[in-house]
Amino acid sequence: MRGFAAGHLPPALEVADAVLVEDDTADGQGRRHARGSGCGVAAGHGLAAPGDGVPLRVEFPGAGSRSVRQWQTGGIRQVQRQSFRQGFIAVACGALVLLMGCGTSRPRGFSTVTELPPGSSPAQAPTSWQDARVGDRVEYAFYADRVGSRRGTSASAGQLVVEVIAVRSPWVWLFIRVTRNDRQPHPHPFLSHGFVLPMRMGQAPENPPDPIKRGSTSATRQWAFAAGQHWSARRIARDDSPGDGPTQHRLYATTPGPLYLTNGLLQVHFSAFGYSMSAGHSLALVSFQRGTGTVQGTPPVMGNPWGPGTWYETLERASWGDVRKRVCLGAEQGYLLRKVWEKPQGEARCDDFQGAEVIALEDALINLVNDSVYIPSWPPRDYGAPLPRKVRVQLGQESVVAYLEEGPDERNGGSSLMRSRTYPTDMWSPVLRGLPMEVRFERLSESVYRQSGGGAREYRSDSRLLRWGTWLEDSELSTSAR
């Protein structure tokens, strides 16, 4: 079998699914150490794992002094038998890792080697969104799970791709898709369709949100190996496990370069363990690609928008009066923007995002992955609960079939108030065409009421989706005015 070196085999092997190489010059020896876990297989040349762009190699150190002494004392046959036995164990161990890799749903992480396209050079690597090309792409493997919640135990895994499909300054149009590990459509309804996301070239927020929020973090510099390339990286970590909190870390390329689409993200890990519930997620870069720059692409129709470039309005009724709200969604320089206007006047326009809520694109991707395990079935309901009955909900001039969930209002303790919610039975119904994701995966309406003995309902509050649309018009594609 290729990839196995002749000579003496070590008694134990180490595997590196995702190799993080740290520069340990501080120890005075100038060595670099690879960290991993498992059974003796590292990314390299030799054995190829199914679905990996980089084969695996089993590395054997040179013969130690003990083996040399055995050879010199004449125990040739014994050493040969030992080498054969250890070689057989190593082969079996490597084969076991490959077989496990075939069946596992967890991402194997940093594996795929990606080369620059013909005619490209490192000097042509992008430095920001202003250098975007059609065909620029990053791909991540992800895994998320949740154990012990009222909605049951759930897990989700697959591949997440962000790709540039059109560039019309000042806009870069992205297509985001999620698949299973075998590249087939993902079964979860949140992940079964692709999304369009227009990103504006411009300036990043003055105070971008911290990658790890709520609390102090530690930041270190190190070398990392991902997608067939070594990166100078910044590791941000926080460990709240002593106080029953989560353990989490992120790895970002110091210079994002071709990873500008996700602000240089290389890896994410989060795990939390409670008395009766646990949750975790991980994301790891597996490949990236630089576009050719020979075409501009055609901006797509906003049929399934992620959110930026769209707006929607809701109507909230309460005892103190009616409130109409307009939510504007935008994106600029790798960050998604959300601004709420109360009592909006005139036609729907979203030309001012000052003071908007800000979230990094990579955080939005992580949230999507987590949503698929926090809401494992549709509509959201406790494990084993039956499907609610179906009704029709009016949306403008059209109506959509929806689930109607009714029950006591848990947020008001033991009061006699009732709460009803409606959810679309088919969140990808043509009636919902153009609806941004944050509303598509939510309830269409919600009411809190008290029911009298005669059956009449006394409503305390009521909110519902009114209308939605796209504010990014053709004129926006040829001007930087906002």
Side-chain angles (χ1 to χ4, degrees), residues 2 4 27 29 106 135 160 184 198 310 371:
R2 292 185 301 126
F4 286 82
D27 64 5
Q29 302 177 40
R106 289 178 178 269
L160 194 155
Q184 296 300 309
T310 67
D371 286 346

Coordinates of all heavy atoms in Angstrom, one line a residue, residues 2 4 27 29 106 135 160 184 198 310 371:
R2 N 0.6 2.2 -0.9 CA 1.4 3.4 -0.9 C 1.2 4.2 0.3 O 0.2 4.3 0.9 CB 1.0 4.2 -2.2 CG 1.3 3.6 -3.5 CD 1.0 4.5 -4.6 NE -0.4 4.9 -4.6 CZ -0.8 6.1 -4.7 NH1 0.1 7.1 -4.6 NH2 -2.1 6.4 -4.7
F4 N 3.2 4.0 3.0 CA 3.8 3.4 4.2 C 5.3 3.2 4.0 O 5.7 2.6 3.0 CB 3.2 2.0 4.5 CG 1.8 2.1 5.1 CD1 0.7 2.3 4.3 CD2 1.6 2.0 6.4 CE1 -0.6 2.4 4.8 CE2 0.3 2.1 7.0 CZ -0.7 2.3 6.1
D27 N 9.8 28.1 23.3 CA 10.4 27.1 24.1 C 11.9 27.0 23.9 O 12.6 26.1 24.4 CB 9.8 25.7 23.8 CG 10.0 25.2 22.4 OD1 10.8 25.9 21.6 OD2 9.5 24.2 22.0
Q29 N 13.5 26.1 21.2 CA 14.0 25.1 20.3 C 13.5 25.3 18.9 O 13.9 24.6 18.0 CB 13.5 23.7 20.8 CG 14.0 23.4 22.2 CD 13.4 22.0 22.6 OE1 13.3 21.1 21.8 NE2 13.0 21.9 23.9
R106 N -19.9 13.7 11.0 CA -19.1 14.8 11.5 C -18.1 15.3 10.4 O -17.5 14.5 9.7 CB -18.3 14.5 12.7 CG -19.2 14.2 13.9 CD -18.4 13.8 15.1 NE -19.2 13.7 16.3 CZ -19.4 14.6 17.2 NH1 -19.0 15.8 17.0 NH2 -20.2 14.4 18.3
G135 N -17.0 33.7 -9.1 CA -16.3 32.4 -8.9 C -15.5 32.3 -7.6 O -15.1 31.2 -7.2
L160 N -21.2 23.8 3.7 CA -21.7 25.1 3.5 C -20.8 25.9 2.6 O -19.7 26.0 2.8 CB -21.9 25.8 4.9 CG -22.7 27.0 5.0 CD1 -23.2 27.2 6.4 CD2 -22.0 28.3 4.5
Q184 N -25.5 15.8 -1.6 CA -26.9 15.8 -1.9 C -27.7 16.8 -1.1 O -27.2 17.4 -0.1 CB -27.5 14.4 -1.6 CG -26.8 13.3 -2.4 CD -27.1 13.4 -3.8 OE1 -28.2 13.6 -4.3 NE2 -26.0 13.4 -4.6
P198 N -27.1 40.0 -1.7 CA -26.3 41.1 -2.2 C -25.5 41.8 -1.1 O -26.1 42.2 -0.1 CB -27.3 42.0 -2.9 CG -28.6 41.7 -2.1 CD -28.5 40.3 -1.6
T310 N -33.8 43.4 1.1 CA -35.3 43.3 1.2 C -35.8 44.0 2.4 O -35.0 44.5 3.3 CB -35.7 41.8 1.4 OG1 -35.2 41.3 2.6 CG2 -35.1 41.0 0.2
D371 N -29.9 26.9 14.0 CA -31.4 26.9 13.9 C -31.9 25.5 13.5 O -33.0 25.1 13.8 CB -31.9 27.9 13.0 CG -31.8 29.3 13.6 OD1 -31.6 29.4 14.8 OD2 -31.9 30.3 12.8

